[in-house]
Amino acid sequence: VRVRTWSCTCAFMAVSPTASFSHSMMASLDATQQTYDENDPSLADGHRIVYDREVPFELRAHEQLDGGHSVGTLESVKVKVMLLGDETNPQHVRIELSTESDLFFVYNCSLDLSTFKAMQAQQKLMIDYPEFPSVLVRMLNQCLKEPHSHLAVFIFDKTGDARLDFIQNMEYKFVELMSLNFVA
């Protein structure tokens, strides 16, 4: 009985300092993240990050001369989705794309209600603007979880214009689900 009491007391003493160290370490990381967020120029106008992950993209350089596409390369692209306003009724959605392998690869897409309505009509989307951020995040996550059936294809040209196409491989046909326009 004494051995069990002693070992239990030692275990408690060993965990207690580690727990306080872990708590102070987490508080330090939270303060560092808050400082990072305050200095992030993407968040300067009140946006907040709702998605920040690396997603596999097929990158294609659009050839202006013959109207064709070059062969794409697979690369991990950092995607940040930011909202201004409430998640259930956003005023503005901004998407930033960047890569660590090319510091000059920085593209932005900005959508408010009017630009979304135009995109919705053009692409015959069946979602409303408040649903758009969650659908976008779901599509990005599907590209991570099922990279053989859900593709993110990013086509860019020399002028700085680009387009992100979300494509689903249906085994017998590639179906374009949604496209977003970006600028460098």
Side-chain angles (χ1 to χ4, degrees):
V1 173
R2 281 187 178 168
V3 173
R4 288 184 186 171
T5 305
W6 180 77
S7 64
C8 187
T9 304
C10 288
F12 177 76
M13 293 174 93
V15 170
S16 182
T18 305
S20 65
F21 173 74
S22 176
H23 179 68
S24 66
M25 179 71 139
M26 291 303 291
S28 174
L29 288 174
D30 287 343
T32 303
Q33 182 64 36
Q34 184 177 3
T35 303
Y36 173 75
D37 289 348
E38 290 171 358
N39 293 328
D40 186 350
S42 302
L43 306 176
D45 56 357
H47 284 81
R48 70 184 188 299
I49 298 172
V50 295
Y51 188 84
D52 188 359
R53 293 183 77 176
E54 289 194 2
V55 180
F57 278 26
E58 181 180 330
L59 302 180
R60 294 183 188 171
H62 183 62
E63 299 295 331
Q64 293 280 334
L65 300 175
D66 60 4
H69 298 284
S70 65
V71 177
T73 60
L74 192 62
E75 189 163 337
S76 188
V77 175
K78 182 178 175 111
V79 180
K80 281 201 310 194
V81 178
M82 294 158 286
L83 296 181
L84 181 63
D86 188 28
E87 283 189 35
T88 58
N89 191 18
Q91 298 170 4
H92 190 261
V93 179
R94 185 168 59 223
I95 305 126
E96 287 184 2
L97 307 178
S98 61
T99 65
E100 289 189 18
S101 63
D102 182 357
L103 297 177
F104 298 104
F105 184 97
V106 179
Y107 287 86
N108 293 292
C109 174
S110 292
L111 291 168
D112 58 9
L113 181 59
S114 64
T115 54
F116 175 80
K117 289 281 188 190
M119 182 179 83
Q120 181 185 41
Q122 181 184 23
Q123 298 180 30
K124 298 178 177 69
L125 298 176
M126 298 176 62
I127 59 170
D128 291 322
Y129 184 62
E131 299 167 310
F132 172 70
S134 63
V135 169
L136 176 62
V137 166
R138 192 167 50 242
M139 292 174 96
L140 290 164
N141 285 333
Q142 285 176 330
C143 292
L144 279 168
K145 292 176 188 172
E146 303 172 47
H148 297 293
S149 62
H150 290 84
L151 311 168
V153 179
F154 190 73
I155 304 165
F156 58 96
D157 63 24
K158 295 177 185 177
T159 65
D161 293 328
R163 186 180 74 234
L164 174 60
D165 295 333
F166 289 99
I167 298 172
Q168 184 174 0
N169 181 353
M170 304 292 288
E171 293 184 28
Y172 52 88
K173 181 179 180 179
F174 288 102
V175 178
E176 186 177 299
L177 302 175
M178 184 170 63
S179 292
L180 298 169
N181 292 321
F182 284 80
V183 293

